[in-house]
Amino acid sequence: MYDIVIIGGGPCGIASVIEAKHAGLAKILLLEKGENHSQTIRKFYKDGKRVDKEYKGLDSTTKGSVEFFDGTKESTLNYFDKLLDEGEFEAIFNVEVESVKKNGDYFEITTSKSGFKAKNVVVAIGRMGKPNKPDYKIPPSIMNLVNFNLNNCGNGEKIIVVGGGNSAAEYACELGKCNDVTLCYRKEKFTRLNDINEAAVYESEKNGSLKLLLGTDISELSNADGKVCVNFTDGKSEVYDRAIYAIGGSTPVDFLAKCGIEMNGEDPIIDEHFQTTTKGLFVGGDIASKKGGSIVVALNNAHTIIDYIVKNK
C-alpha cells in the first residue's frame, strides 16, 4: 500500500515526488509510460532550447521545496535528474496506466504490467503526450512522412511546418539550417510567439533559410508518388518530402474518464487543492490549467497537492 502513486514523470510529477519526500511520506511510487522522466522536454524541445522560468506573464514564484531557474533543455533535464536522485522512492518507467478505481479507502491502479494500491493518486500527465492532430484525415500511405516532433527528420528535405506557436517557430528555424522549409500558419500574423522566436522567424525568412506562408490554411493531405501533397483552402497545392505539425496538445479525456475523473468538457473538475470529486484523487500540471505550459505552475500545483494531503492525513 503506497502513501501516494504519481502518474506522469513531467515537472508536476517530479515535484510531487520531491514534495512528498520532504513532507515525510514513506511509500512513494512514480509511474511513467516513457523510458525516462520529462518526455515532453526530451521529445518536443530541440537541443539547446531555452527553458524560461517566466511563462506568458504567469506568476513565476515557486512556492514549495522545488526551485526553478532559467536554463536550457539540457540543464533542465540535469536538474530534474539531480532532484530525483536524492532520497528514496520507487519509479517504474515504460509502464502505461490503464485505469484508477476507488475501492473503499484506497485506490487500485491497473497498469499494462501490474497493479498497485495507494491511499492517494496524483494524475500529472501532460497534454503534449497527446499532440493535436488536424481535423482532416492523414492518408495511411504517407503517415510515416507526417510528424508531430523532430523525430525522423533528415537533411536536404523539403518540409512544411504547420503551426503558429513557439514550438512551430523553433522547429522551422532549426530545420531551415539544412532543409528547404516553409512555415505555414492560418492567421495573417503571429499572435503567440515570444519575442525571441518571432525575431528568429523573420531573420530566417530574411536570410532565405525559411519561407513564411501566413494567412493560409490546409484543407487536406494526399499522396503524390510517395510524397506529401498539401492542398490549401485557396485551391493551391504543393508537394513536400515531409509535414510537421506543431499545433499543441489536447487533454487525454478518455484516460481521465478511466480514472473516474469527472469532466466539464475537456477540463477536469477540481477544487482549489486540485482534488477531483473523488477524495484522494488529484490532477496537476498542464491538464489542470487552461494556461498550461508553465513549469513553475506545475511545480506549485504539486506543492499545493502534497501540502493538502499531509495536512489531511
Side-chain angles (χ1 to χ4, degrees):
M1 177 69 70
Y2 290 92
D3 291 317
I4 187 169
V5 167
I6 299 153
I7 302 170
C12 183
I14 293 169
S16 295
V17 169
I18 305 306
E19 296 284 356
K21 289 194 294 184
H22 287 186
L25 297 182
K27 295 283 289 180
I28 305 165
L29 175 63
L30 174 67
L31 299 174
E32 164 59 47
K33 71 176 183 179
E35 61 184 17
N36 208 332
H37 66 81
S38 308
Q39 288 297 295
T40 294
I41 295 175
R42 293 180 194 278
K43 290 177 62 177
F44 295 96
Y45 287 26
K46 68 177 183 179
D47 291 345
K49 171 180 165 57
R50 284 183 47 190
V51 180
D52 296 326
K53 182 177 181 180
E54 188 172 334
Y55 181 81
K56 293 184 178 180
L58 299 175
D59 185 3
S60 60
T61 305
T62 51
K63 300 175 181 178
S65 301
V66 182
E67 291 287 340
F68 193 68
F69 315 92
D70 291 339
T72 63
K73 170 184 176 178
E74 292 76 13
S75 68
T76 300
L77 291 175
N78 288 338
Y79 174 60
F80 286 151
D81 280 339
K82 183 178 179 181
L83 287 177
L84 289 173
D85 285 344
E86 297 174 353
E88 294 295 326
F89 75 101
E90 294 179 54
I92 302 176
F93 296 98
N94 293 310
V95 61
E96 188 159 3
V97 175
E98 296 176 350
S99 66
V100 175
K101 294 181 180 179
K102 189 75 179 281
N103 184 357
D105 293 332
Y106 65 91
F107 293 90
E108 294 178 342
I109 301 99
T110 303
T111 77
S112 53
K113 297 180 180 179
S114 185
F116 306 93
K117 295 179 181 179
K119 298 174 185 176
N120 300 280
V121 174
V122 178
V123 178
I125 58 177
R127 297 177 190 268
M128 288 305 289
K130 185 180 180 182
N132 284 331
K133 296 183 179 180
D135 295 334
Y136 42 87
K137 180 182 178 182
I138 300 174
S141 60
I142 57 172
M143 193 72 75
N144 64 320
L145 302 177
V146 178
N147 303 129
F148 297 89
N149 51 42
L150 297 185
N151 292 350
N152 304 317
C153 295
N155 294 334
E157 291 186 319
K158 183 178 180 181
I159 300 172
I160 184 168
V161 177
V162 183
N166 287 303
S167 292
E170 289 165 5
Y171 290 174
C173 291
E174 180 68 20
L175 291 169
K177 297 174 182 177
C178 49
N179 296 278
D180 178 1
V181 176
T182 298
L183 176 58
C184 176
Y185 185 40
R186 58 188 175 81
K187 295 183 179 181
E188 294 287 347
K189 61 180 181 179
F190 295 108
T191 58
R192 296 184 289 127
L193 295 185
N194 61 41
D195 293 342
I196 294 173
N197 283 333
E198 185 167 7
V201 164
Y202 287 117
E203 178 61 28
S204 296
E205 181 192 33
K206 183 179 178 180
N207 65 32
S209 63
L210 177 64
K211 303 182 185 73
L212 289 182
L213 197 59
L214 301 179
T216 305
D217 209 352
I218 298 171
S219 60
E220 66 175 352
L221 302 184
S222 57
N223 187 328
D225 297 325
K227 294 189 176 184
V228 181
C229 181
V230 178
N231 300 295
F232 300 99
T233 52
D234 61 5
K236 297 179 181 178
S237 62
E238 185 77 23
V239 176
Y240 298 88
D241 296 313
R242 188 176 303 279
I244 298 175
Y245 287 86
I247 51 179
S250 58
T251 302
V253 175
D254 293 342
F255 172 74
L256 297 181
K258 291 178 181 179
C259 295
I261 296 173
E262 293 188 34
M263 306 289 291
N264 179 15
E266 288 205 348
D267 299 319
I269 299 174
I270 52 178
D271 64 16
E272 66 272 23
H273 309 292
F274 301 96
Q275 184 168 224
T276 68
T277 54
T278 301
K279 184 179 179 181
L281 179 59
F282 300 83
V283 175
D286 280 2
I287 57 175
S289 172
K290 293 181 180 179
K291 297 181 179 180
S294 167
I295 290 178
V296 170
V297 168
L299 303 181
N300 288 340
N301 287 176
H303 169 68
T304 299
I305 291 168
I306 302 303
D307 184 62
Y308 179 79
I309 289 173
V310 171
K311 289 180 178 178
N312 291 272
K313 284 198 295 184

